[in-house]
Amino acid sequence: MTLRKIGHGGRGPVGVLAQGGLMERTAVLRLDAEWTKVRAGRAAVPPGERERMLLDLISALAPHAANDLPLTARLSLRYADLARHHFDAGRRVKALRAVAEAVRHCAEPARHDEEHARWYARALLSQSVYLAEPLSDELGLPRYAFPARGERPPAAARADGIAALEATRRAMAVWEGLPGGDPRNREGLAQSRAFLGDRLEELGDPVEAVVWAVRAEQEFHALGERPGAPHGTALEHLGDQLVRRLRRCGFQGGLTRLRAEGLLPGRLLPLAVVAARVEGVEPEAIARGLRLAPEEVRRVLRARCWRAVWRFDVRERDGAPWTPMPYPWRGMDAVTDRSAAEVAAELTDALLTGEDRPPDTAHWRIAVWWEDEGRLEGACFRRTHAPRRGRAPRPGNHPDGGLTPRGTPQSPP
């Protein structure tokens, strides 16, 4: 009889609790709607107030996380917003804690709803970006892109980079499991492939980074064929990345592999030819490795130049700071059909036979870059000369046995 009274009209204790729960849920959703306006920029709110609103909203959503999957997913969204807020303010550790909560709370809802699965994949990609942040420099470029010759990342940063790679792969698996007929899912898949290329480049693998950038580009191009789906900015960014990464790819096992697997777009074949020549590969070998006619390779090498950027540094004694030499020993020029080694040898001959030749007691070095001067480990070729007793080195001769090609380990001077 009591049960019948409780069920009839909802006036008993259980009915009151149910009604109270519904009211609480409605209030939480109203609070979430207010935050959505702030997030969209429709309400000007100072950063401190934004953070307070987010924390209040998360506190209101949290009690519902155990039994209400839609609200659990929405709690994940707000943790993701909090993570972004912390990251933009330079609080990476707090951002990582918040995004971990976002990933954790969205995992189960993602199994039951496509929209929640998209939220989950995006949270994983955000987590990967925050984890990988120490592997990029102030310009957003890979800080440790030259593992064979450059500075190694600290153990903690490398571990975070590997975790970022894993989070990106998990996100990509989520997108791959969603229906391909929905453009949102295909766009998410393309973005995750682009992010995977970023993470691989940060860990010093430019060839695999090119692989995934090309696959992302292909997906974005396919999306661009749909009405109302412009992806020009993403494609422009990927194009710039591909150019940069191809310059870092070695010929054998790098450019040759990409060509064999159909992952070297036709528009980038001339760049690959020049990259191989900069490395020192002869035209006949370039033609064989890239499956091109020899006359086509010769035509590209005649028509396309590359900008060689060089710098000589000197120092008086071991351990003293290096000082760049003035122009013309720090400069640039357009070069056609010559390797970086040949450019360096010609410059070295000119230095050693000219009036600016360093004293026999001095240390000096040369680095040659392609396109822009950068970190020493990123040079296409570099050469260091320490003073030796006895005869001085002849022009064009490397006292340590030759120039160091891209990809060859060398201890830093």
Side-chain angles (χ1 to χ4, degrees):
M1 187 172 179
T2 305
L3 289 174
R4 195 162 62 89
K5 282 187 178 180
I6 291 171
H8 183 69
R11 295 187 180 87
V14 174
V16 171
L17 287 173
Q19 187 177 13
L22 181 60
M23 290 174 64
E24 285 181 13
R25 193 179 195 278
T26 302
V28 168
L29 288 174
R30 189 179 297 116
L31 191 61
D32 190 76
E34 290 178 12
W35 165 252
T36 302
K37 293 178 183 177
V38 173
R39 189 179 187 273
R42 294 197 296 270
V45 178
E49 180 65 13
R50 289 169 67 94
E51 183 173 340
R52 187 195 64 76
M53 287 183 67
L54 264 176
L55 291 173
D56 288 347
L57 178 54
I58 287 170
S59 296
L61 285 164
H64 302 274
N67 302 312
D68 191 323
L69 285 181
L71 285 187
T72 304
R74 197 157 293 276
L75 175 61
S76 166
L77 271 187
R78 301 314 161 217
Y79 268 120
D81 289 343
L82 181 62
R84 177 62 184 268
H85 173 79
H86 284 317
F87 191 74
D88 289 345
R91 300 188 290 263
R92 176 175 174 266
V93 173
K94 288 186 176 181
L96 285 172
R97 284 200 294 264
V99 80
E101 289 297 315
V103 169
R104 182 172 71 87
H105 281 94
C106 209
E108 184 59 27
R111 295 162 55 89
H112 303 277
D113 182 89
E114 284 185 21
E115 182 64 16
H116 296 162
R118 285 188 279 269
W119 295 356
Y120 180 50
R122 293 181 188 122
L124 285 166
L125 288 179
S126 294
Q127 185 179 45
S128 77
V129 171
Y130 304 155
L131 282 166
E133 191 263 347
L135 298 176
S136 297
D137 63 18
E138 60 279 359
L139 298 177
L141 297 175
R143 190 184 298 274
Y144 307 101
F146 312 99
R149 294 174 288 162
E151 181 185 359
R152 271 52 164 196
R158 178 167 176 77
D160 281 350
I162 293 171
L165 192 65
E166 177 58 27
T168 309
R169 292 189 189 280
R170 287 168 62 194
M172 192 161 65
V174 174
W175 289 117
E176 287 172 342
L178 292 172
D182 190 325
R184 293 174 298 175
N185 299 336
R186 293 183 61 190
E187 182 175 0
L189 179 59
Q191 289 174 339
S192 65
R193 288 173 172 174
F195 276 54
L196 184 59
D198 294 343
R199 305 292 81 84
L200 288 162
E201 185 182 16
E202 289 161 352
L203 291 170
D205 194 342
V207 179
E208 280 297 313
V210 168
V211 168
W212 288 104
V214 169
R215 289 174 177 166
E217 188 181 64
Q218 290 169 344
E219 191 67 43
F220 276 123
H221 274 302
L223 276 167
E225 297 171 1
R226 296 174 176 270
H231 300 288
T233 302
L235 286 168
E236 183 179 352
H237 180 62
L238 283 167
D240 292 342
Q241 287 181 322
L242 281 169
V243 169
R244 184 181 73 243
R245 291 169 187 173
L246 280 173
R247 288 179 183 150
R248 295 176 180 172
C249 290
F251 179 69
Q252 198 61 45
L255 297 175
T256 55
R257 175 199 157 191
L258 293 169
R259 177 63 166 160
E261 294 180 5
L263 293 168
L264 193 55
R267 74 179 193 280
L268 294 177
L269 266 174
L271 178 65
V273 169
V274 175
R277 191 71 189 96
V278 171
E279 186 179 326
V281 183
E282 293 300 323
E284 294 76 13
I286 295 173
R288 290 193 301 271
L290 297 183
R291 304 180 181 185
L292 295 170
E295 55 272 19
E296 176 64 12
V297 170
R298 287 192 291 270
R299 186 194 66 78
V300 169
L301 292 176
R302 285 194 304 268
R304 292 182 66 104
C305 62
W306 62 280
R307 184 168 67 179
V309 180
W310 63 85
R311 190 184 75 217
F312 284 91
D313 301 324
V314 294
R315 64 182 180 184
E316 295 178 359
R317 61 186 182 281
D318 193 20
W322 290 99
T323 301
M325 296 182 68
Y327 179 85
W329 310 114
R330 185 179 190 177
M332 64 183 69
D333 198 5
V335 175
T336 302
D337 195 11
R338 276 189 295 168
S339 68
E342 292 166 336
V343 171
E346 181 178 331
L347 289 165
T348 301
D349 285 347
L351 177 69
L352 295 180
T353 57
E355 296 179 355
D356 296 328
R357 174 186 176 123
D360 290 342
T361 57
H363 302 245
W364 58 269
R365 68 187 182 190
I366 178 177
V368 178
W369 293 269
W370 183 358
E371 193 66 25
D372 295 301
E373 182 179 312
R375 295 191 296 273
L376 192 65
E377 60 266 23
C380 298
F381 285 90
R382 57 179 177 169
R383 169 187 180 182
T384 302
H385 164 66
R388 289 185 173 186
R389 295 178 181 177
R391 60 186 178 87
R394 290 176 297 167
N397 262 357
H398 185 350
D400 293 324
L403 292 154
T404 303
R406 178 172 56 227
T408 302
Q410 175 184 342
S411 299

